[in-house]
Amino acid sequence: MKALFRAMEEDAKVREAMARFSQSGGQSFLYGVSGSAQAAVFAAAYAACPRPFVILTQDRANLLAWQEDLTSLLPSATILELPEVDMATFRAAAKSVDLMARRMDVLGRLMRGEAVIVLAQISAAVQKGISRRDFERLSLRLKLGAAIDRDEVLRRLVRLGYEAAPEVERMGQFSARGGIVDLFPINQLVPIRVEFFDDEIDSLREYDLVTKRSQRNVEAVNVLPLARTDEGGKPELFLSYLDGTGVVLFHEPMHLKEAVARLLRENAEATRQLFTYEELVAGAARETVFYTALMLHTIPEASLDAVISLTAQATPPYQRQFDLLAEDVGGWLKENRRVLILMGDGEKSAAMRDMLTARRLPAAAAPNPAELFPGVSMVAEGTLARGFSLPEAQLVVLSEK
């Protein structure tokens, strides 16, 4: 999608948004754009400056829309979802452990500064969880040859929230027999067998969960915490893991604020489990922050450095109305616009190119074009939820979907 991103940069407001995305700190309000056009703007910004990027949405439908568009626009990017975990009723059941494992994986990646894109529903974003400091403090590192008492390892695993079991059957459990400790860390794909000789780790091996047979020797393993925190810890927002290195996008902030207020209003115990919207905004203050909405409005909680008005228009869904499509494409080409048409695969792309050329319209097809040219329609492989146009960039994007 590099050709698309370059064409979008012809719009001065897109360039401004990209520049503010790359800077350290600052708060911007981008309005006038939504849907796939908005996703394309931030995909272009991320492609130019990959860094940890958190997108907060009011519900799952919006999250999935972002996920679909970003996956198509940034096929090589790592896009993760921050799971919501019911901390009030958490038990070491398989589903709960899996959700916690995924959440801890996201936190670990953010703490390491990986340039991942994290999509989070507001209900997951405001959950009180383990702090960055406690994450590092509670994580257990086991290394071959390290001097550590077996019973101390067992005590640490309990503090980390792992379940003692007669035999390890799933992630989040551990068992001990003599000088051997089996455990299944939430950040590992297979369980680990630790063998002690006196107070020293004599062997570290991965093993098969079904046959129990050892498979591969390892030099060290990190065991991430499953518990929210311990008695010495203090819950924090997951945004604390960015530590000033990331970008946080509040998608439709008024809706986000209303959603948090509703969560707190509907559950009397919620204040013990959730942060407020105001605390969430304050927690993002060290990052580069974007607020995005279709319409301009005030954001009382924000300290804005820039307000960016970007003009984007949705294109109609043609639904196989090829004559109407060709008529509109012909009009755009006469205006010397760049036209990009996204189709699901190479066969469909070739068919679209042939349909356009049969109507004497300049068209070319390429899986991933290097450039978009004024007055030529380029057909490429890909899909977006909805097509759009950027008048200031003289660009039109159509999608098969």
Side-chain angles (χ1 to χ4, degrees), residues 107-348:
L107 298 184
R109 288 170 179 266
L110 293 178
M111 187 171 68
R112 293 190 295 272
E114 295 182 21
V116 295
I117 299 174
V118 178
L119 304 173
Q121 286 181 242
I122 192 65
S123 55
V126 295
Q127 284 195 306
K128 292 182 178 180
I130 187 171
S131 69
R132 179 187 175 106
R133 173 180 165 277
D134 289 341
F135 188 98
E136 294 178 302
R137 177 175 61 85
L138 293 175
S139 297
L140 173 63
R141 180 169 175 80
L142 301 174
K143 187 176 182 181
L144 189 65
I148 186 170
D149 180 64
R150 188 208 74 147
D151 290 341
E152 173 60 19
V153 170
L154 299 183
R155 286 191 291 269
R156 290 284 302 277
L157 289 172
V158 171
R159 287 176 59 196
L160 266 62
Y162 284 72
E163 176 192 20
E167 189 174 273
V168 172
E169 297 179 341
R170 60 175 179 262
M171 188 180 290
Q173 291 184 328
F174 72 92
S175 68
R177 57 190 187 281
I180 298 176
V181 176
D182 289 344
L183 67 144
F184 200 154
I186 62 172
N187 52 306
Q188 295 286 131
L189 297 177
V190 294
I192 300 294
R193 178 162 292 147
V194 188
E195 294 189 25
F196 290 84
F197 182 76
D198 290 334
D199 291 340
E200 183 177 301
I201 296 178
D202 188 54
S203 172
L204 274 174
R205 290 172 290 173
E206 296 176 347
Y207 73 92
D208 186 275
L209 190 61
V210 177
T211 66
K212 309 303 179 186
R213 292 179 180 175
S214 299
Q215 293 180 320
R216 185 174 72 93
N217 293 326
V218 294
E219 291 294 317
V221 61
N222 289 318
V223 184
L224 297 187
L226 184 58
R228 179 167 50 178
T229 187
D230 62 5
E231 63 278 1
K234 178 182 178 182
E236 283 188 6
L237 283 159
F238 88 99
L239 293 179
S240 67
Y241 286 75
L242 290 169
D243 198 28
T245 66
V247 179
V248 180
L249 187 152
F250 290 78
H251 177 59
E252 295 289 351
M254 289 181 63
H255 294 161
L256 295 179
K257 185 175 182 179
E258 291 168 1
V260 177
R262 185 166 56 252
L263 287 170
L264 294 170
R265 186 170 59 248
E266 292 175 352
N267 184 353
E269 296 295 312
T271 55
R272 298 170 54 185
Q273 304 164 23
L274 306 176
F275 290 101
T276 65
Y277 177 75
E278 289 73 19
E279 289 171 323
L280 181 68
V281 170
R286 295 180 58 210
E287 316 304 326
T288 302
V289 176
F290 279 90
Y291 299 92
T292 65
L294 184 57
M295 305 298 293
L296 177 64
H297 58 77
T298 59
I299 308 176
E301 300 80 12
S303 299
L304 296 175
D305 302 300
V307 177
I308 306 171
S309 172
L310 179 59
T311 302
Q313 300 164 351
T315 56
Y318 289 95
Q319 298 176 338
R320 302 186 67 83
Q321 298 179 68
F322 295 121
D323 289 337
L324 178 59
L325 170 64
E327 180 182 347
D328 285 349
V329 169
W332 292 321
L333 297 182
K334 285 181 180 179
E335 296 171 353
N336 214 32
R337 297 195 189 191
R338 297 175 178 86
V339 177
L340 174 64
I341 304 175
L342 298 174
M343 304 298 291
D345 55 44
E347 183 178 343
K348 291 180 178 179

Side-chain angles (χ1 to χ4, degrees), residues 320-393:
R320 302 186 67 83
Q321 298 179 68
F322 295 121
D323 289 337
L324 178 59
L325 170 64
E327 180 182 347
D328 285 349
V329 169
W332 292 321
L333 297 182
K334 285 181 180 179
E335 296 171 353
N336 214 32
R337 297 195 189 191
R338 297 175 178 86
V339 177
L340 174 64
I341 304 175
L342 298 174
M343 304 298 291
D345 55 44
E347 183 178 343
K348 291 180 178 179
S349 295
M352 175 60 70
R353 176 202 59 202
D354 293 344
M355 185 276 290
L356 293 171
T357 55
R359 288 167 168 78
R360 301 181 183 276
L361 296 172
N368 187 17
E371 197 71 50
L372 301 181
F373 299 99
V376 178
S377 54
M378 179 63 70
V379 187
E381 295 179 26
T383 183
L384 291 174
R386 187 75 182 269
F388 62 91
S389 68
L390 290 176
E392 294 300 317

Side-chain angles (χ1 to χ4, degrees), residues 71-132:
T71 299
S72 180
L73 292 162
L74 299 167
S76 62
T78 300
I79 302 173
L80 307 169
E81 179 181 350
L82 181 75
E84 180 182 359
V85 180
D86 187 351
M87 300 305 302
T89 59
F90 181 82
R91 296 291 184 272
K95 182 177 180 181
S96 295
V97 172
D98 177 65
L99 290 173
M100 182 61 79
R102 287 166 49 203
R103 189 175 178 98
M104 289 299 182
D105 176 60
V106 170
L107 298 184
R109 288 170 179 266
L110 293 178
M111 187 171 68
R112 293 190 295 272
E114 295 182 21
V116 295
I117 299 174
V118 178
L119 304 173
Q121 286 181 242
I122 192 65
S123 55
V126 295
Q127 284 195 306
K128 292 182 178 180
I130 187 171
S131 69
R132 179 187 175 106

